[in-house]
Every structure is written in structure tokens, then in C-alpha cells.
Amino acid sequence: MMFLVFFYLALAVFMLLPLLGVWFMVKRMPDSKRSLILVAAATILLTPSWAPVTITVVLVPFGLLFFVTLFTWSWGELAGLVGLFALWHAIAFPVTALISYFVIRKRPSNNSFEADGSAA
């Protein structure tokens, strides 16, 4: 079981690269739009999902499955995979969205280092 968690975490670190790209693209947007886009991107990229590997399944980030589907254009297989583990995904997506929302809301805003005119 620890191998599955380690495998997921290693791939989740890999999925942080596109998430950092999204953050870089939206960092000048208003806070509400930026938070919404970052939560959606984090949910798609980091949600734990199950992927078949020969005779077993492994825990991988949904973003990895999404990128494979994007490049192979096999949307039906992705939908079938999500449907195969429907209860898992019905819980994992909202939980990942909530966790990413709270993490994103904890980060400092872009306005935290602006001068407020109180310095002498």
C-alpha cells in the first residue's frame, strides 16, 4: 500500500509543473478569478485516480490520465475509467477541490507587499 502512495506522490510532484504554469498565467488576474482557476486546475491535475497497469491498478493523479487522453484523443476510455471507479471519483474530486481551495486561500495575496502610505 505504501508503494501506491509513494507512486502517486511522485507523479503528483510531476503534475505540479503544469499547475505552476497555470499559476504563472493567472497571477495578474483578480483574486476571485485567480482562485477559481487555480482550484479547478489543481482539482483536475492532482485528484487521486486509479489507472490499470497490466493485471493491477495503481494510484495516479487524474492529470496524468487527462494528459494521456489529450494526446491520444481517447475520451471514451477516460470516461469508462472514471465510470469504473465512480464512487472513488465522486468522493475524490470534491475532497481535492476543498483541500486545494483552502491551500490557495492561505497563500499571501499579491497586495501583501504594496506600500500603504504609512511609512515615514
Side-chain angles (χ1 to χ4, degrees), residues 4-5 30 35 39 42 47 49 51-52 56 58 61 66 83 87-88 95 109-111 113-114 117:
L4 290 176
V5 173
S35 295
V39 167
T47 297
S49 185
T56 187
V58 293
F66 184 78
L87 182 59
W88 172 269
V95 168
S109 70
N110 287 345
N111 303 329
F113 297 110
E114 288 184 359

Side-chain angles (χ1 to χ4, degrees), residues 91-103:
I91 295 169
F93 276 107
V95 168
T96 305
L98 281 173
I99 291 170
S100 62
Y101 174 76
F102 287 120
V103 168

Side-chain angles (χ1 to χ4, degrees), residues 17-68:
L17 293 174
L19 188 58
L20 287 173
V22 171
W23 175 80
F24 181 74
M25 290 189 295
V26 300
K27 69 180 182 178
R28 297 204 184 267
M29 287 185 161
D31 194 39
S32 60
K33 286 183 181 179
R34 182 176 56 236
S35 295
L36 178 67
I37 292 170
L38 287 174
V39 167
T43 302
I44 289 172
L45 294 172
L46 299 176
T47 297
S49 185
W50 295 101
V53 177
T54 60
I55 61 172
T56 187
V57 292
V58 293
L59 193 62
V60 297
F62 186 78
L64 183 68
L65 299 175
F66 184 78
F67 282 127
V68 168

